[in-house]
Structures are given as structure tokens and as C-alpha cells.
Amino acid sequence: MLEAYFKNPNILSRLEDKSLGPGIPYLAEYLSKQGYSIRTITDYLRAAAHFNYWIRSEHIPLHNIHEKTVDKFLYEHFKECHCAIAKGGPIRQSRPATRQFLNVLRMHDVVDLPEKPVSISPIDKLLDDFGKHMEKVHGATLSTIHSYSMHIRTFIKAKYQDEPIEFKRLCVEDVREYVITRAGGYKPKTVKSLATSLRAFFRFLRMTNQIEHPLEDVVPTVPHWKLSTLPKYLTEKQLQCLLSSFTVSTPIGLRDRAMTLLMSGIGFRAYEVAHLSLDEIDWKQGIIELKKSKSRHASYMPLPAEVGEALAMYLQKGRPYTKERYIFVSHASPKGRPLSPSAVRIAIRRAFKRCALSVPSYGTHVLRHTLATRLLQKGARLKEIADLLRHQSIETTNIYAKVDLRGLAQVALPWPEVMP
């Protein structure tokens, strides 16, 4: 069963460790039957292997494994982990994986059900309910929920400390004082994220009748304007230098160049590059049906010849053999595992460093900005750029109007002459 997900014998030996009986194979079987993707299954199995390793190293008996054990692993051990085994991913990924693993262990009687329900802290229960609400009602991603929950947890602990949590006693001054105090030590972007998190949380509390007054309306507005700066982008010469830095005689060079062209030629995000599947490309029509995007809606994208040729070259001459349907995979052991968005970002940063260019940013988003700026300079309308970049609001695209200096010069009013 595990051989379907891992080829490396060292990884397989860790997964087949019997400290928790055949728990990990049970988890793989359960996740497969539930329809989880291969990528998610491999991530969950790695996290379970880390948990299994920690259980063995701490000499924790089977009858003492329960929710509090999982919490100790996640919130105490994970921060200072020095295990001789990979963590299996960030905590936001390990959290659902280990909890699912515990459920599977109980289903197969590997560990016992608790004699009485294990108590969960009020904050954890509240944030779990809030996260489910944000996902189901607002379609928030896991990363957004994690970011919001982090700010909310800090707010609750600062306000109540060890006292009982009573939201109905919250007042306007409590909220304003907290945000203003935090604003003194945070960057404007972080304070804005904090304010957005609190507004969403207060709406949730009011909807669930935990508060009566609309406290979301009293959260101070943070002065951080989106259009206050120029977008960072590459010049044509810098972009060509970046693309020429990839060694196309190597598989990794073919892969990284194809990923770069997807971002600079069609405006893909790192997340979208990592999740691009073979099934989403219509080679005959020259179209990509992007199913996993930030908006969670399918988008149909053009496939330019240069981008299509780079993809085809990688698939034919660079990509290792794998049953995985995602296009971009790892070339290190274990080969064929899908790349994560962070791996995509790391590959692009490496390329920027090789070029030794003096560029405004080494991040992947500068490639989307470059595409938008080039299109605008060639005469494309903002609406066309917004559609290509899949912006939900044209306001997001308006920042690129500041780059079109020729267009701005045409609409600028003449400066009145000063009479002597």
C-alpha cells in the first residue's frame, strides 16, 4: 500500500515502523478510500511518521495517546523539534494530519477511546468553530484561516489572560486600545491583517449571538493604501536575463524555466504552478483550464507558444517517471513527488540569485507584475489585464495605470503659467 506513494526504502522503513502497530498503512488506506489526492495522502503520511517517531522517542504508552498528546506534539514539541526525521510539513498541515491519524488509530483499536471526553481549551474550540465558519461560508483558504486565527488567539490571550472568556463584556475602548497598541510595533501591512482578522471574528461572534453590538465597525482603519506605491516589475532585458539563466540541458533547468514562463507569460501564481495538472491542458486548442486558483473558480487561460513549448520540453525530456498527474514534481529523492508552492518560490529565488540582477524583488509575484506592465505598455486595456490575472475587482488592476506614463501624460492637465 505504502509503495504506491513512496519509492525511497528509507522513507518506507520509517512509515512501516510498528510503534503504533500498522497505524500508518491504515491511515493510507483510509485516506485513499475517502478520495484524498495523492499529494495530500503523502503529506499526511509524512506528518504521521513524525508523530509516530516522537511517540517512540518519548516512550509514550498506547493507552496515553489522546487529544492532549497530539496537542503536546503540535504546540510544544513542534516548535523545538530536533527529530532525526523530517517534520512532514508546516504545523497547519500537521495539525489535521495528526488528528486524522488519531481517529484512524481508534477506528482500528490500536489506541483506546478515552474513558471520558478529553477537554479542549475554550480558545481552541472557539477558533475551530470560527475556522469552519470561514471555510464554509466565506470560502477562506487554510492559510487565511491560520493567519486570522493567529491574530485572534493573540487578542484573546492579551485581553483575558487566565480569566474566563466573556465576549459580551467587550467594549469599544477594549478593541480600539488593543489595535492602536499593536500598531506601534507592527508594520502597516501586519496591522491591516490584524484589523481584518478582528472584523471577521466579531462578525462571527455576532452571528452566533456571542456579542450584541457590531464591534467590527469600531476596529480602527489602518492607513495602508494599495495604490500608494508603484508595482515592482522587471524590464525586458532583466526578464530575458532571468530566462537565459536556466540550464535547459538539465531536467531541473527545463522544469524551472517552464515554471517561470507560466508566471511571466500567463500570470500564474506559485500556488497555481504547483497545482497545475496534466488534465487541465488542452494542447490542441491551446488552452489551460485552471481549476485550482485563488478565486476557487475554474478559469480558461490561453497557452502561448513559448510557454507551451517549454512545458512540452519538460514533459518529454526532463520530468521523471511518476504516476502523479501534477506537472511539476521533485527531482530529488523521493522523485516524482509534486512540488509545493514554497518549492516553486525557492526555485525562482535561486534563479534570481544566479543572475545577480539588481531587481526590486526576488519573489514570484514580481513576474505577474512584469506581465501586467508589459501588456499595458503594448496597449492592452486594464479590463483585459484584470481578466488575464483573474482579479476579482478592477480596483486591484488600477495600480498598473501608474506605470503607463505615456497614457498619463495624455490625460494630464496643462500646468497653469504663473503670471509675473
Side-chain angles (χ1 to χ4, degrees):
M1 183 68 180
L2 298 177
E3 288 81 1
Y5 306 104
F6 300 96
K7 304 298 181 184
N8 189 310
N10 293 328
I11 295 178
L12 285 172
S13 64
R14 292 171 183 166
L15 294 173
E16 292 170 350
D17 183 273
K18 301 300 182 182
S19 299
L20 294 176
I24 294 181
Y26 283 150
L27 177 62
E29 181 181 8
Y30 172 80
L31 295 174
S32 178
K33 288 182 179 179
Q34 294 297 315
Y36 283 72
S37 68
I38 293 178
R39 179 191 181 89
T40 301
I41 294 175
T42 54
D43 288 342
Y44 274 37
L45 293 180
R46 287 175 180 271
H50 181 203
F51 180 69
N52 187 42
Y53 181 92
W54 176 75
I55 289 291
R56 188 181 70 234
S57 62
E58 293 292 314
H59 306 289
I60 299 175
L62 293 180
H63 65 270
N64 275 349
I65 299 176
H66 41 65
E67 279 79 1
K68 287 188 176 180
T69 315
V70 173
D71 287 344
K72 184 177 181 181
F73 168 74
L74 292 171
Y75 300 113
E76 295 181 21
H77 165 74
F78 209 85
K79 295 178 182 179
E80 302 176 354
C81 174
H82 297 290
C83 293
I85 184 174
K87 280 190 175 183
I91 190 169
R92 66 174 179 271
Q93 181 175 291
S94 295
R95 186 185 295 111
T98 48
R99 298 196 192 287
Q100 193 76 274
F101 188 36
L102 178 61
N103 292 334
V104 170
L105 292 174
R106 286 173 173 167
M107 287 167 51
H108 291 274
D109 297 323
V110 177
V111 299
D112 298 330
L113 286 167
E115 295 181 0
K116 58 181 180 179
V118 179
S119 61
I120 301 175
S121 71
I123 294 181
D124 288 337
K125 177 65 170 61
L126 179 67
L127 292 179
D128 185 58
D129 292 340
F130 171 72
K132 291 176 181 176
H133 165 79
M134 291 298 296
E135 182 178 11
K136 292 180 180 178
V137 177
H138 299 281
T141 62
L142 290 177
S143 59
T144 298
I145 294 170
H146 175 72
S147 175
Y148 282 19
S149 298
M150 178 183 66
H151 287 304
I152 295 165
R153 184 186 294 274
T154 304
F155 167 72
I156 294 174
K157 287 185 175 180
K159 170 58 184 171
Y160 296 101
Q161 298 181 4
D162 296 328
E163 299 176 3
I165 300 174
E166 298 180 7
F167 291 117
K168 289 190 176 181
R169 296 175 59 185
L170 275 176
C171 64
V172 173
E173 288 306 316
D174 291 333
V175 177
R176 287 180 176 171
E177 181 183 356
Y178 178 79
V179 176
I180 292 172
T181 302
R182 293 284 168 173
Y186 288 168
K187 293 181 179 179
K189 189 174 182 180
T190 304
V191 182
K192 184 175 181 180
S193 175
L194 164 64
T196 303
S197 304
L198 290 177
R199 290 191 191 100
F201 183 58
F202 291 143
R203 292 189 193 99
F204 164 74
L205 292 180
R206 195 154 56 89
M207 193 192 77
T208 54
N209 297 319
Q210 298 184 61
I211 59 174
E212 297 177 0
H213 304 291
L215 291 178
E216 65 271 15
D217 294 338
V218 304
V219 177
T221 301
V222 181
H224 180 65
W225 297 278
K226 288 184 177 180
L227 304 183
S228 61
T229 59
L230 286 170
K232 299 175 182 179
Y233 64 95
L234 307 181
T235 64
E236 186 67 29
K237 184 176 180 180
Q238 288 173 332
L239 178 60
Q240 293 307 317
C241 180
L242 177 66
L243 292 173
S244 63
S245 70
F246 298 105
T247 307
V248 294
S249 59
T250 66
I252 293 179
L254 289 172
R255 182 197 67 188
D256 294 353
R257 185 174 186 274
M259 294 193 304
T260 304
L261 282 169
L262 276 170
M263 288 182 271
S264 64
I266 317 180
F268 269 41
R269 302 176 176 90
Y271 171 87
E272 295 163 347
V273 170
H275 290 88
L276 181 62
S277 167
L278 291 165
D279 305 316
E280 294 176 307
I281 299 181
D282 186 335
W283 297 98
K284 292 183 179 180
Q285 299 295 326
I287 294 174
I288 297 178
E289 182 187 359
L290 188 60
K291 296 178 181 178
K292 292 190 176 182
S293 63
K294 187 177 180 180
S295 66
R296 295 196 173 191
H297 297 293
S299 303
Y300 292 89
M301 312 288 295
L303 181 60
E306 184 180 16
V307 181
E309 289 171 2
L311 284 171
M313 188 71 71
Y314 171 61
L315 291 171
Q316 293 171 354
K317 298 184 178 181
R319 188 171 184 262
Y321 172 78
T322 175
K323 295 180 180 179
E324 182 57 59
R325 298 301 293 173
Y326 288 123
I327 290 179
F328 298 107
V329 297
S330 171
H331 290 250
S333 180
K335 286 187 177 181
R337 183 170 184 255
L339 288 185
S340 65
S342 60
V344 175
R345 296 185 187 100
I346 290 171
I348 302 305
R349 289 195 191 99
R350 263 200 315 257
F352 275 122
K353 290 180 179 179
R354 280 199 306 272
C355 296
L357 291 173
S358 178
V359 295
S361 171
Y362 279 4
T364 56
H365 226 63
V366 73
L367 298 176
R368 275 171 60 86
H369 292 324
T370 299
L371 171 64
T373 304
R374 291 174 67 199
L375 291 174
L376 189 66
Q377 292 171 345
K378 291 179 180 179
R381 293 176 297 178
L382 285 177
K383 180 63 171 66
E384 295 170 335
I385 298 172
D387 291 341
L388 181 63
L389 297 183
R390 303 170 305 288
H391 287 160
Q392 294 183 346
S393 171
I394 191 68
E395 295 297 325
T396 308
T397 320
N398 282 342
I399 190 173
Y400 299 109
K402 299 168 67 174
V403 183
D404 188 9
L405 300 181
R406 292 182 182 178
L408 290 175
Q410 293 176 6
V411 300
L413 293 174
W415 190 262
E417 296 183 3
V418 179
M419 298 297 293

